[in-house]
C-alpha cells in the first residue's frame, strides 16, 4: 500500500503545501486539480463536484477525440443524441450535460468519460441492426458515467504516484497525469464488477425508456460473430467463456426484473445510419496507436497517427512505475465482451495478444477532433419519443 501513502502525500502537498493558496486561485489548472483531489480525498469514493467531474471529462474527451477524430456530420450526431437523451432522462443523472459524440473510426468501440461525455465509434454504429442495440450500448456507457466508474478507478487501483521533486509548482503536469489516469481507465475498460453493473443497470435504463432490453445482448452477439473467425486474438474474446456468462447474466436481469420494452426500431436506425461496416480484417490500424493516447502527459494535442508513433506514453509510464503495459490491454467494447479484470492480468505480458485484441482500439481515426454541436429541443425529444413509441 505504498501507493496509498504516495497518494496521501500528494493530497497533503496539494492541500497543505505552502504553494497551495496561490495555486488554488480561481481558474488556474492548479486550483482545479486541488479541488478535484480534495473532493476525492474527503469522501474517499464518489464525492466529486459536478464541475470538477466536467473538467476531467472534458480533458479525457479531448484526448479521445484527438485520437479518433469526430464524424463531422450534424445529422448522425443529432440522431445519436436523441437516443442518448431519451436514455439519460431515465438515468439517475438526468440533468447532467450529456454529450454524445460519434468518433470517426472503423474500429468498434464505445467510451464513456466522466461528466457525461459518451463516445461511440462510426464502426460500432455501422454494425448495429436496430435502435434498441444503439440504446443498449449507450445505456451501458451512461451507467459508467452515472456510477462514476472512472473516478472510482482512479481512486482505487490507478492512483497517481508522485515523485519526490514534484510540488504544486508543477501542478499542471500532475493534472495531466490525472487526465492520463482517467483516460487510461476509460480506454482499458473498467473492472469486471463495473462492467457487469453497467450491463445490468444499462438494460434497466433502456427498458425504462421503452426499448427492447435485449438490444445490448444482441449487439454483443454481433460482435462475437465479428470476431469469430479472425485469426489470433480477437477470437479469444469471441470464444471467451465470460462472454457467455455475460449474456446469461443479461438475460437473467431481464427475466428477474421483468424488464419489458417493445421498441426495436430497425427501420428508424437505418433511416439515420447508412454506414457500411468494415470487416475486422479490413480495419486500418495505427501502429502503437492506443498506448499513445493515455500517455501524452505533455498535454500537447496529438495529431493523427504521428502522435502515436513517437512517444508511446513515456512520461506516463515512468510516472506510473508499476505497470506501463497496462494501457495496451483490453478496452471498451472488447472489454465489455470479454468481461473483467482477469484479462488484465492474464494479458499483462502478452504483447502479441495485446496487439491482437486492440485491433478495434488501434484503428485509424479521422483528423478533426472538433465536437459537432447538437441542439435538441424538448419538442424534438417528445416527437422522437412519440414516433418511436418510447416513454
Ligand atoms: Zn463498459
Amino acid at each position: 500500500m505504498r501507493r496509498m501513502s504516495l497518494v496521501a502525500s500528494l493530497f497533503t502537498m496539494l492541500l497543505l503545501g505552502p504553494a497551495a493558496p496561490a495555486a488554488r486561485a480561481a481558474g488556474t489548472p492548479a486550483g482545479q486539480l486541488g479541488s478535484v483531489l480534495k473532493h476525492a480525498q474527503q469522501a474517499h469514493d464518489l464525492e466529486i463536484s459536478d464541475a470538477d467531474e466536467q473538467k476531467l471529462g472534458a480533458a479525457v474527451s479531448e484526448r479521445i477525440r484527438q485520437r479518433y477524430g469526430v464524424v463531422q456530420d450534424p445529422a448522425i450526431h443529432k440522431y445519436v443524441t436523441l437516443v442518448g437523451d431519451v436514455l439519460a432522462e431515465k438515468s439517475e443523472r438526468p440533468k447532467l450535460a450529456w454529450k454524445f459524440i460519434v468518433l470517426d473510426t472503423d474500429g468498434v468501440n464505445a467510451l464513456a468519460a466522466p461528466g457525461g461525455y459518451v463516445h461511440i465509434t462510426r464502426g460500432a454504429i455501422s454494425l448495429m441492426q436496430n435502435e434498441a442495440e444503439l440504446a443498449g450500448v449507450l445505456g451501458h456507457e451512461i451507467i459508467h458515467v452515472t456510477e462514476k466508474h472512472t473516478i472510482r478507478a482512479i481512486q482505487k487501483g490507478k492512483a497517481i504516484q508522485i515523485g519526490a521533486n514534484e510540488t504544486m509548482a508543477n501542478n499542471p503536469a500532475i493534472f495531466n497525469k490525472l487526465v492520463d489516469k482517467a483516460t487510461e481507465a476509460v480506454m482499458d475498460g473498467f473492472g469486471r464488477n463495473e462492467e457487469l453493473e453497467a450491463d445490468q443497470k444499462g438494460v434497466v435504463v433502456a427498458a425504462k425508456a421503452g426499448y427492447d432490453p435485449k438490444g445490448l445482448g444482441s449487439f454483443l452477439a454481433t460482435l462475437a460473430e465479428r470476431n469469430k473467425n479472425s485469426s489470433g486474438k480477437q477470437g479469444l474474446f469471441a470464444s471467451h467463456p465470460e462472454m457467455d456468462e455475460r449474456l446469461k447474466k443479461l438475460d437473467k436481469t431481464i427475466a428477474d426484473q421483468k424488464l419489458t420494452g417493445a421498441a426495436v426500431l430497425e427501420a428508424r436506425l437505418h433511416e439515420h445510419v447508412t454506414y457500411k461496416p468494415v470487416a475486422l480484417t479490413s480495419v486500418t490500424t495505427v501502429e502503437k496507436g492506443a498506448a499513445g493516447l493515455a500517455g501524452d502527459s505533455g498535454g500537447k494535442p496529438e495529431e493523427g497517427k504521428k502522435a502515436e508513433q513517437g512517444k508511446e506514453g513515456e512520461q506516463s509510464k515512468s510516472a506510473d512505475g508499476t505497470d506501463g503495459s497496462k494501457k495496451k490491454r483490453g478496452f471498451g467494447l472488447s472489454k465489455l465482451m470479454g468481461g473483467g479484470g482477469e484479462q488484465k492480468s492474464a494479458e499483462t505480458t502478452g504483447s502479441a495478444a495485446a496487439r491482437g485484441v486492440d485491433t478495434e482500439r488501434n484503428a485509424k481515426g479521422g483528423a478533426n477532433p472538433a465536437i459537432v454541436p447538437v441542439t435538441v429541443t424538448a419538442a424534438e425529444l417528445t416527437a422522437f419519443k412519440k414516433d418511436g413509441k418510447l416513454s
Side-chain angles (χ1 to χ4, degrees):
M1 312 269 76
R2 180 167 145 266
R3 254 191 202 182
M4 293 308 291
S5 65
L6 283 166
V7 172
S9 65
L10 170 59
F11 286 139
T12 305
M13 266 191 273
L14 287 166
L15 299 173
L16 307 174
R24 242 185 276 162
T28 65
Q32 292 168 9
L33 176 66
S35 180
V36 166
L37 291 180
K38 192 174 107 191
H39 284 286
Q41 182 201 31
Q42 279 169 350
H44 93 265
D45 39 27
L46 306 181
E47 289 290 322
I48 177 172
S49 77
D50 284 359
D52 287 340
E53 191 190 348
Q54 285 288 330
K55 280 167 198 152
L56 185 59
V60 172
S61 175
E62 175 76 22
R63 293 270 181 93
I64 291 170
R65 288 183 283 110
Q66 291 283 354
R67 169 60 182 83
Y68 293 108
V70 175
V71 174
Q72 295 296 309
D73 174 11
I76 190 69
H77 275 89
K78 181 112 184 187
Y79 175 61
V80 172
T81 299
L82 281 162
V83 176
D85 282 354
V86 168
L87 296 164
E89 259 189 356
K90 306 293 180 189
S91 79
E92 292 188 2
R93 303 179 74 186
K95 301 292 183 201
L96 210 56
W98 293 94
K99 287 191 174 53
F100 297 91
I101 298 163
V102 182
L103 298 173
D104 191 12
T105 176
D106 293 329
V108 176
N109 212 341
L111 301 161
Y117 291 85
V118 174
H119 311 77
I120 186 163
T121 64
R122 177 165 45 70
I125 294 174
S126 74
L127 283 178
M128 289 172 174
Q129 295 170 38
N130 55 58
E131 195 173 298
E133 292 189 357
L134 176 58
V137 173
L138 294 180
H140 175 102
E141 299 302 324
I142 282 171
I143 300 300
H144 283 315
V145 174
T146 58
E147 297 297 328
K148 302 188 179 179
H149 286 163
T150 303
I151 311 296
R152 204 187 285 175
I154 293 171
Q155 290 168 345
K156 253 202 302 202
K158 303 189 175 185
I160 291 175
Q161 297 193 20
I162 182 169
N165 297 328
E166 289 179 298
T167 65
M168 287 297 291
N170 54 13
N171 207 342
I174 302 174
F175 179 74
N176 278 330
K177 284 181 194 167
L178 186 63
V179 176
D180 280 352
K181 286 297 175 188
T183 306
E184 188 181 318
V186 168
M187 288 297 292
D188 281 356
F190 302 99
R192 175 187 165 73
N193 290 341
E194 284 81 9
E195 294 301 338
L196 288 175
E197 183 179 26
D199 278 359
Q200 289 173 10
K201 293 184 176 171
V203 294
V204 170
V205 165
K208 266 190 198 166
Y211 285 107
D212 181 347
K214 292 191 285 298
L216 177 59
S218 167
F219 183 69
L220 289 178
T222 299
L223 283 194
E225 184 65 24
R226 172 180 174 85
N227 289 315
K228 187 177 66 173
N229 294 321
S230 60
S231 61
K233 317 81 186 180
Q234 282 84 15
L236 177 115
F237 274 105
S239 61
H240 198 285
E242 283 190 13
M243 175 61 165
D244 279 342
E245 185 201 341
R246 196 144 199 185
L247 290 173
K248 277 185 191 130
K249 278 193 197 302
L250 274 172
D251 286 343
K252 187 167 165 16
T253 299
I254 291 167
D256 287 354
Q257 301 194 39
K258 300 187 170 55
L259 300 179
T260 55
V264 174
L265 301 173
E266 183 176 351
R268 186 157 84 173
L269 179 100
H270 293 300
E271 267 169 40
H272 292 91
V273 177
T274 52
Y275 301 138
K276 297 274 173 289
V278 175
L280 190 63
T281 47
S282 303
V283 171
T284 306
T285 57
V286 174
E287 201 62 29
K288 299 177 181 173
L293 190 145
D296 190 19
S297 297
K300 221 175 151 190
E302 290 181 88
E303 199 184 312
K305 57 176 103 163
K306 271 193 184 148
E308 262 73 60
Q309 287 161 355
K311 23 175 131 169
E312 210 197 329
E314 288 308 326
Q315 299 173 32
S316 185
K317 261 181 213 167
S318 51
D320 288 347
T322 48
D323 191 4
S325 64
K326 203 176 260 180
K327 55 175 66 71
K328 290 183 182 169
R329 276 170 264 129
F331 66 100
L333 285 173
S334 280
K335 176 62 72 179
L336 187 148
M337 289 180 60
E342 292 82 14
Q343 264 151 12
K344 289 194 176 184
S345 46
E347 288 168 18
T348 297
T349 55
S351 64
R355 269 202 307 280
V357 301
D358 283 351
T359 296
E360 310 276 27
R361 174 178 163 180
N362 283 348
K364 193 180 163 199
N368 192 337
I371 285 183
V372 175
V374 176
T375 312
V376 172
T377 66
E380 284 171 332
L381 195 59
T382 302
F384 185 78
K385 287 193 281 190
K386 192 178 173 203
D387 177 67
K389 298 189 168 61
L390 298 166
S391 40

